[in-house]
Amino acid sequence: MTKQQEDAPQSGTPETFEVVEAEQRTGARYKGVYLLPNLFTTGALFAGFYAIVAAMNGLFENAAVGIIVAGILDGMDGGVARLTNTQSKFGAEYDSLSDCVAFGVAPGLVAYSWGLSELGKFGWMAAFIYVACAALRLARFNVQAESTDKRFFIGLPSPTGAGLVATLVWLGASRGMDGNDISWIVALVVAGAGLLMVSSVRYHSFKEFHIGRVPFKVLLGVIVAFAIVFLDPPLVLLSVAVIYVVVGLLLNLWQLRKRSDS
């Protein structure tokens, strides 16, 4: 008799889906999952799925915004879990699966639908490279999460890679541009973002900054930043993503040169 059969009710009532997580410190077992952080994760998963559906219907601006929304929600679920002390292994695994859809499959399909389809095999190969690298990036992150410096990501973070692809599509679609007119540029950006995700380039995580009391000028800076973003969201966000990618590469090259000189 299996463990599930032993735990099944004997009165003939139907079984219900339960998630059992073991508390390693005390040996206690808890049924169920934490609702609040997993709601944000589900929202990110929904936004990624919506992006795929929107791209299939030719709504590329909506698709790109869906990926950006997924990135915002993904950034919130971990913070909510830490603030409410509701971290769990189930939540971490669910978050990774959600990220694979929202920041792996969705950006690859959106980019392919907008600007890679006319490249034939080269187009879907570029999209697949991105999707495969996003999955590898998430798997590597899960394995190295406990042993790496929390201040830095090893490789381009998948939400940033997805944001780079999504804002490129958003900018082009908002300007009435046909992505197939710049298909080789799209392929370069998509494949390049994928390869950067599995690279050894270190990118700042900004995890040492916590929400709490801040000087008034910091709040003023946030307000100004929001105002700048809303002037032209796709252009500003694409510029921020490009700057983040380039700065990470330059710092990595500078560190390599410094090591070689020492």
Side-chain angles (χ1 to χ4, degrees), residues 55 59-65 67 106-116 162-177 179 182 186 189-190 234 238:
L59 303 174
F60 297 112
E61 289 187 63
N62 292 354
V65 172
I67 295 172
L109 288 177
V110 170
Y112 178 81
S113 299
W114 182 66
L116 297 176
L164 179 64
V165 174
T167 51
L168 175 64
V169 174
W170 190 4
L171 180 64
S174 66
R175 282 9 183 213
M177 184 183 300
I182 55 170
V186 178
V189 171
V190 171
L238 177 60

Side-chain angles (χ1 to χ4, degrees), residues 7-21:
D7 292 341
Q10 303 298 321
S11 60
T13 57
E15 295 185 39
T16 58
F17 173 76
E18 292 284 357
V19 175
V20 179
E21 294 196 66

Side-chain angles (χ1 to χ4, degrees), residues 120-190:
K121 292 182 179 180
F122 290 102
W124 65 257
M125 284 175 60
F128 176 72
I129 288 173
Y130 176 87
V131 174
C133 288
L136 291 170
R137 168 71 175 81
L138 291 166
R140 185 178 69 178
F141 176 80
N142 290 340
V143 171
Q144 298 179 344
E146 300 299 326
S147 59
T148 57
D149 189 345
K150 301 297 183 182
R151 297 174 301 168
F152 298 95
F153 293 117
I154 306 300
L156 185 67
S158 57
T160 307
L164 179 64
V165 174
T167 51
L168 175 64
V169 174
W170 190 4
L171 180 64
S174 66
R175 282 9 183 213
M177 184 183 300
D178 186 349
N180 290 300
D181 293 338
I182 55 170
S183 55
W184 287 107
I185 296 177
V186 178
L188 180 63
V189 171
V190 171

Side-chain angles (χ1 to χ4, degrees), residues 31-132:
K31 289 187 175 182
V33 296
Y34 293 114
L35 179 62
L36 187 58
N38 289 309
L39 280 179
F40 284 94
T41 304
T42 302
L45 178 61
F46 174 81
F49 179 74
Y50 170 78
I52 295 173
V53 175
M56 292 170 61
N57 289 282
L59 303 174
F60 297 112
E61 289 187 63
N62 292 354
V65 172
I67 295 172
I68 299 301
V69 171
I72 295 172
L73 293 174
D74 178 72
M76 296 175 65
D77 60 1
V80 169
R82 288 188 292 271
L83 286 173
T84 57
N85 196 27
T86 53
Q87 303 100 317
S88 68
K89 185 172 179 57
F90 174 86
E93 296 297 331
Y94 185 34
D95 182 68
S96 291
L97 293 172
S98 172
D99 288 354
C100 192
V101 174
F103 308 133
V105 178
L109 288 177
V110 170
Y112 178 81
S113 299
W114 182 66
L116 297 176
S117 59
E118 292 190 3
L119 287 180
K121 292 182 179 180
F122 290 102
W124 65 257
M125 284 175 60
F128 176 72
I129 288 173
Y130 176 87
V131 174

Side-chain angles (χ1 to χ4, degrees), residues 150-256:
K150 301 297 183 182
R151 297 174 301 168
F152 298 95
F153 293 117
I154 306 300
L156 185 67
S158 57
T160 307
L164 179 64
V165 174
T167 51
L168 175 64
V169 174
W170 190 4
L171 180 64
S174 66
R175 282 9 183 213
M177 184 183 300
D178 186 349
N180 290 300
D181 293 338
I182 55 170
S183 55
W184 287 107
I185 296 177
V186 178
L188 180 63
V189 171
V190 171
L195 294 175
L196 281 174
M197 283 192 283
V198 295
S199 70
S200 58
V201 178
R202 297 206 311 171
Y203 286 92
H204 208 292
S205 67
F206 301 104
K207 287 186 177 181
E208 67 269 27
F209 298 104
H210 301 285
I211 298 175
R213 283 184 173 273
V214 295
F216 177 78
K217 61 182 179 181
V218 174
L219 177 60
L220 181 61
V222 172
I223 295 173
V224 173
F226 272 110
I228 293 174
V229 169
F230 279 101
L231 288 175
D232 193 340
L235 179 60
V236 174
L237 293 177
L238 177 60
S239 300
V240 170
V242 170
I243 291 172
Y244 182 78
V245 170
V246 172
V247 169
L249 287 171
L250 292 177
L251 288 176
N252 186 73
L253 291 174
W254 180 73
Q255 289 175 353
L256 290 175

